[in-house]
Amino acid sequence: MIARRFPIKFLAALCGVLALAFPTLAADGTPAKQLFGRKKLPSAMPAEVHGFYSKGCFSGGIAIATDGPYWQAMRLSRNRRWGHPQLIATIDKLSRDAAEKDGWPGLLVGDLSQPRGGPMLTGHASHQIGLDADIWLTPMPNRRFSAQERESTSAISVLKAKSVVVDPAVWTDAHGRLIMRAASYPEVQRVLVHPGIKKRLCETYKGDRSNLNKIRPYYGHHYHMHIRLRCPDGSASCRAQNAVPASAGCGKELDWWFDVALKPKKPAKKPKKTAKPKKPKKPKHILLSDLPTACAVVLNSAGPATETEVTFQAVSGARTAFAPVKPVRSPFSLPALVPVPKPRPFVQ
Ligand SMILES: [Zn+2]
């Protein structure tokens, strides 16, 4: 009998040691969002994406610096400014192109991913594999926000209040150029925006319209656009999303949003008195075992040795409109190792 040879106390201690040695054993039943949400730094492994945008993780992530010449990262306390290196490079490129060619002064960068991706404690269903980025549809101001302002400042909706159409008092041609610029990059597979924005682009965009098919109408997304990259090279276990249709999507497909999806619902008939109240459904959490098996390795691998290894700084160029300031350090509970950008050399 095992119990005779190995007293229960000994077995319990053994289980404890095993759980420490193999944290995934202890993780059974714990929602994956808690396991990934706790990680403050990426895994120090080569950059690789595992799984799908709404069910996966990634290794070798890097953070976008809190400040670049043409961007400012927002909501620093969320620690969601991590992505696959290709996503960070794309944001840098977009910020520069938009400022130099499109009349958009700089990007306010919203949520990217957690350091190792995975499900998030709050908010998005996607953003799990380091290939999604929310870019505010509010132009960057001509000054640096404080850390506190980055928490409290709200993005501005481009829609008229309580409507599904763009507000001409907010919308500018530069909004359109910024969105179409993002869609023009071959690595960007789709850009999600509110149907009202898509309609505006369909009706008024004067530039190259060949990428209008990448502009995908969706609920919400009138405060920010959501940029999604295709699976990058070197990520065999990244699950690709369906290709976007070849047509611009300005006809019937767009009409459906206004005629059906966004139509105000008729008030529901009075419920019968005999109807029993429905039991609230238990939310189903994604578990680590639901994710690709490589995600357990990503979750439990060591972090980077130094902070500079994992922070992206813009390579060259700087705005001359305002003086360089000290990069903002988040006042929230980030560990000392979380990358904070070094002051950049200022180009006059
Ligand atoms: Zn998003």
Side-chain angles (χ1 to χ4, degrees), residues 111 124 126-127 132-134 221 224-226:
D111 283 358
H124 319 271
S126 64
H127 288 250
D132 293 297
D134 288 345
H221 296 88
H224 70 262
M225 65 171 163
H226 176 135

Side-chain angles (χ1 to χ4, degrees), residues 18-284:
L18 281 175
L20 278 177
F22 302 99
T24 50
L25 294 180
D28 280 351
T30 306
K33 62 183 178 183
Q34 289 182 16
L35 301 172
F36 280 91
R38 278 180 212 142
K39 294 293 177 182
K40 303 292 184 204
L41 287 169
S43 67
M45 300 164 72
E48 192 171 354
V49 170
H50 304 285
F52 193 59
Y53 300 88
S54 54
K55 201 178 263 189
C57 66
F58 68 108
S59 58
I62 59 173
I64 192 161
T66 54
D67 292 277
Y70 300 106
W71 79 76
Q72 299 187 45
M74 304 298 284
R75 305 288 190 266
L76 302 177
S77 63
R78 295 181 181 174
N79 198 27
R80 292 177 183 171
R81 56 192 175 90
W82 299 87
H84 186 279
Q86 190 168 36
L87 178 71
I88 307 298
T90 300
I91 296 171
D92 176 47
K93 180 172 61 174
L94 175 63
S95 74
R96 193 173 307 278
D97 282 349
E100 292 173 354
K101 302 170 189 167
D102 301 326
W104 189 263
L107 305 181
L108 296 178
V109 179
D111 283 358
L112 309 183
S113 287
Q114 298 175 141
R116 302 178 190 209
M120 293 183 182
L121 286 168
T122 56
H124 319 271
S126 64
H127 288 250
Q128 293 193 25
I129 52 176
L131 300 177
D132 293 297
D134 288 345
I135 304 296
W136 289 21
L137 294 174
T138 307
M140 187 173 93
N142 201 14
R143 66 186 181 86
R144 293 292 175 194
F145 280 131
S146 69
Q148 191 51 51
E149 284 174 316
R150 292 174 201 232
E151 301 300 320
S152 58
T153 303
S154 297
I156 298 166
S157 172
V158 297
L159 296 186
K160 268 186 191 168
K162 294 179 185 169
S163 85
V164 292
V165 295
V166 160
D167 184 348
V170 178
W171 178 265
T172 64
D173 288 346
H175 282 82
R177 290 194 291 269
L178 170 73
I179 295 167
M180 293 304 289
R181 175 73 59 191
S184 74
Y185 299 139
E187 70 269 27
V188 172
Q189 189 183 33
R190 48 186 19 95
V191 179
L192 307 183
V193 296
H194 187 275
I197 296 175
K198 170 96 187 195
K199 189 171 165 60
R200 180 74 176 195
L201 291 171
C202 286
E203 289 172 352
T204 66
Y205 188 67
K206 297 279 189 292
D208 176 4
R209 295 169 65 92
S210 60
N211 293 304
L212 265 175
N213 62 332
K214 290 192 190 177
I215 309 293
R216 311 302 301 159
Y218 202 65
Y219 298 102
H221 296 88
H222 49 98
Y223 294 88
H224 70 262
M225 65 171 163
H226 176 135
I227 297 172
R228 175 165 291 174
L229 266 53
R230 330 174 170 273
C231 285
D233 292 341
S235 287
S237 63
C238 176
R239 214 182 95 211
Q241 189 171 6
N242 292 343
V244 294
S247 68
C250 292
K252 276 185 185 171
E253 185 194 336
L254 186 57
D255 292 343
W256 175 85
W257 281 95
F258 298 99
D259 298 343
V260 181
L262 298 174
K263 262 246 159 108
K265 302 273 180 291
K266 285 179 186 169
K269 287 177 185 172
K270 278 187 180 176
K272 290 177 188 171
K273 280 183 182 174
T274 51
K276 287 180 184 173
K278 283 180 186 170
K279 278 186 183 174
K281 278 183 187 170
K282 270 191 177 177
K284 188 189 173 300

